[in-house]
Amino acid sequence: MTTIRLPASQQPGTVLGASPHVAESADAYRATGGYDDATGPEELLAHLAASGLRGRGGAGFPAAVKLRSVRHGGGCPVVVANGEEGEPGSAKDRWLLRARPHLVLDGLVRAAAVTGAVRGFVYLSDPAAGESVRRALAEHPPPLPVEVVETDHTYVAGEETAVVRRIDGGPALPTAKPPRPFERGVGGAPTLVSNVETLARIALTAARPGQRRAIARSTLVTLSGGPAAPVLTEVPYGIPLRTLAARHGSPDAAGALMGGLFGGLVDAHALDLPLEPDALGSAGTALGCGAIHFLTPDGCPVTTAADAASHLAAESARQCGVCVSGTAAVGKALYGLAAGTAGPDTADNLHRWSQGLRGRGACGLLDAAAGIAGSLLRSFPGLVRSHLAAPCPVCADAAPADGRHRLTVAVPQVAGACPRPARVPAPPPAASPTTIPLPALKGTP
């Protein structure tokens, strides 16, 4: 079970709050300054711009810029709290909706005031989170209509165009871009699709504008990997990855899978990097949703890469032929590498796909698969060569063909979150890597 670790110096302006294991009531939230109207929309927007707050859904786009884009889009804007957590190694968004729904709804209402939105939605797939949000709406009705929209959990269901498509009554599948939701979203209106942690930090900034910089430069992270239980905690930007590994119980980590599945693999030397979006981006990796899976010294990064590629192949929306064939081919190659059955051209193929598959799908899933392949070659080239020379006993013991569960993190327990039986979505169509040919990639090796 995932545990929650409070920061060493607990400040009032934190997303975790003082009692993260208990669902927060409206009265408890108001007692900490929530739902206060002291900070108006114009002032709040100025604070957000000055703080440099970035979105916490994965892309890290500046929150103030996104708000302004919707505000100036014309018509009657819509705001959406996106709580659909597709990354298997992340638990923060579902916990936040279960434990602190008022913080998220406060942020949603303030985003609506800034953009001029006339209605809002909370979008999620976790039934317990849905019940918690509905109870919060009944406890403190917002000044605009807010509807809870549930969807089946998939990797791509939280992509912003998939969110809009589902709210409009269609399937939760990405669409071609442009237009982006800020241009034409729900019902054709300019739409803000904002991650729930982003909205929580907007609400905290409104309540404590004097702490705006600290609020913007702190983030929730989900730490997993190795024998230690997964941990959800809140940390400031700039903390070394190696310090996070030690706090998690992985002081001898051999590297990490960063940003859920999107940041790729990094080796042990990269653990000296600070947890800061620009620094990580310059090093070829990403903070993403804040999920970090540490690699154990007695494990094998090839197994982790194969697990990640398998998850992506199974979660393909199967709308883009290049995504279906590309993710399947990457997954098959990485499993062959782990199983000791890879051919001599495997490394060359992985390199070619890592370069040529990026940007060719409707969403970022194919980019993530390409990133997994490229980061393995870049961070662990010696391991790739040794796997091509002889089977790896570590990979054999890990049974990589059954390993998708190793990347999955459970939500921390929250007392009073009103769980209800979860719906079991239909499994996605099985990928067929042996029968789907990979299209030729122009301009690649």
Side-chain angles (χ1 to χ4, degrees), residues 129-153:
E131 289 298 301
S132 181
V133 172
R134 290 185 182 93
R135 182 174 63 181
L137 288 169
E139 282 185 315
H140 186 93
L144 75 163
V146 174
E147 180 183 345
V148 178
V149 176
E150 294 194 29
T151 189
D152 289 333
H153 173 75

Side-chain angles (χ1 to χ4, degrees), residues 61-71 160 182 192-194:
F61 197 75
V65 174
K66 200 169 184 179
L67 287 162
R68 286 196 184 100
S69 297
V70 174
R71 180 182 189 175
E160 62 175 3
F182 76 86
L192 176 77
V193 180
S194 186

Side-chain angles (χ1 to χ4, degrees), residues 154 156 165 172-174 310-329 361-363 365-366 427-436:
T154 66
V156 301
R165 194 174 180 183
L173 297 174
S310 172
H311 186 86
L312 291 168
E315 289 290 315
S316 170
R318 307 188 73 79
Q319 293 188 126
C320 307
V322 68
C323 179
V324 176
S325 57
T327 55
C363 67
L365 186 143
L366 185 58
S432 303
T434 57
T435 60
I436 302 175

